[in-house]
Amino acid sequence: MSTDHEDKEQYDSFDANVYLKDFCGAGKIELYANLPYFVELFSQFSDSSIEMLDFGGGPSFIPLIIAARKVSRYIHADFAKNNRAAVERWWKKDPDSFDWRENVRYVLKLEGNSGTDEEVTEREERMRKVLGEVVHCDIFADQVMPPGFEGPFDVVSCLSCLDCVCTSVESLHKAIGKLSRLVRSGGYLIVESSVVSTDHSLFEEEQKLKNE
């Protein structure tokens, strides 16, 4: 993702491996409060023809673990090239890629499965099959997605992303408006925020607005 208040070049040096270790390592997935929601949401879909975009997903693709059972095509989009490269390494079965197996096992158990090694392997293969492309995105560009990937999608998710780059409520609303245009009529736009963080620019803006 790009940002309207910081040097875009900083994202070229973003260390995806450190992020994955710190936020997606053993036991960390249990901290993701939105997982039960995703499990419930995708259990409601009656077929497997859903097309989904994860916008600003970073080097992580936790939504894909859950969505893979019901989507026919999943697009992972992020601004930072290092994040996209981390996803592509896993996609291509690079032996040096991040190991997602325990995260997959946890999600399988949330879904009511046993989480056996066989089930984990089967889900990972399904994930690789439906992952249609890993592409660049930029929420502050006029065209936020590259040609051919403008949607519409049945589901667009953007998790803990917009509030990291938007410096005001106004810019956040504008960004959400851009994402909403990627969603098919009757589809879902899922935006997760972490504005409770005290050092968050958007949180500070909201606090200032409340105090005025």
Side-chain angles (χ1 to χ4, degrees):
M1 294 262 331
S2 72
T3 169
D4 59 348
H5 65 288
E6 296 176 304
D7 187 351
K8 292 182 180 182
E9 294 180 357
Q10 71 171 306
Y11 289 91
D12 288 339
S13 60
F14 184 87
D15 195 325
N17 292 326
V18 170
Y19 177 92
L20 289 170
K21 179 181 178 181
D22 289 347
F23 294 98
C24 304
K28 299 294 177 64
I29 194 172
E30 299 175 25
L31 302 178
Y32 283 77
N34 61 351
L35 285 180
Y37 169 76
F38 268 97
V39 170
E40 174 63 23
L41 172 64
F42 282 94
S43 68
Q44 298 175 21
F45 294 127
S46 59
D47 56 47
S48 301
S49 61
I50 303 300
E51 293 193 346
M52 178 173 177
L53 166 67
D54 188 26
F55 191 98
S60 168
F61 44 80
I62 290 175
L64 173 60
I65 302 175
I66 301 170
R69 59 186 176 140
K70 289 293 179 73
V71 302
S72 59
R73 184 171 181 247
Y74 181 103
I75 302 300
H76 185 96
D78 195 76
F79 178 83
K81 63 180 181 181
N82 290 344
N83 288 341
R84 299 195 303 272
V87 176
E88 288 175 339
R89 283 194 296 273
W90 171 86
W91 191 18
K92 298 175 181 178
K93 297 186 178 182
D94 186 323
D96 295 326
S97 65
F98 184 78
D99 186 357
W100 284 92
R101 291 183 61 81
E102 290 309 308
N103 291 318
V104 173
R105 193 185 313 278
Y106 182 81
V107 168
L108 285 166
K109 290 181 178 180
L110 268 185
E111 295 172 349
N113 299 297
S114 299
T116 64
D117 288 346
E118 183 178 357
E119 288 176 333
V120 170
T121 298
E122 182 180 348
R123 179 61 60 88
E124 280 201 302
E125 289 306 307
R126 174 66 183 172
M127 290 161 62
R128 288 188 172 95
K129 180 179 180 180
V130 301
L131 180 55
E133 196 65 68
V134 179
V135 301
H136 176 270
C137 67
D138 186 346
I139 194 62
F140 296 109
D142 292 334
Q143 187 78 22
V144 299
M145 292 289 290
F149 297 94
E150 305 97 331
F153 297 92
D154 299 290
V155 179
V156 174
S157 61
C158 187
L159 311 181
S160 298
C161 173
L162 294 184
D163 51 333
C164 293
V165 295
C166 295
T167 58
S168 68
V169 173
E170 181 182 1
S171 64
L172 177 63
H173 288 173
K174 186 176 181 180
I176 292 176
K178 290 181 178 181
L179 291 181
S180 67
R181 290 191 285 273
L182 302 174
V183 184
R184 192 185 312 278
S185 176
Y188 294 82
L189 173 59
I190 306 168
V191 179
E192 179 189 72
S193 171
S194 55
V195 295
V196 294
S197 175
T198 56
D199 62 351
H200 215 280
S201 60
L202 180 58
F203 174 84
E204 293 169 357
E205 177 70 14
E206 286 191 331
Q207 287 297 97
K208 183 172 71 173
L209 291 173
K210 291 176 181 178
N211 293 332
E212 291 178 349

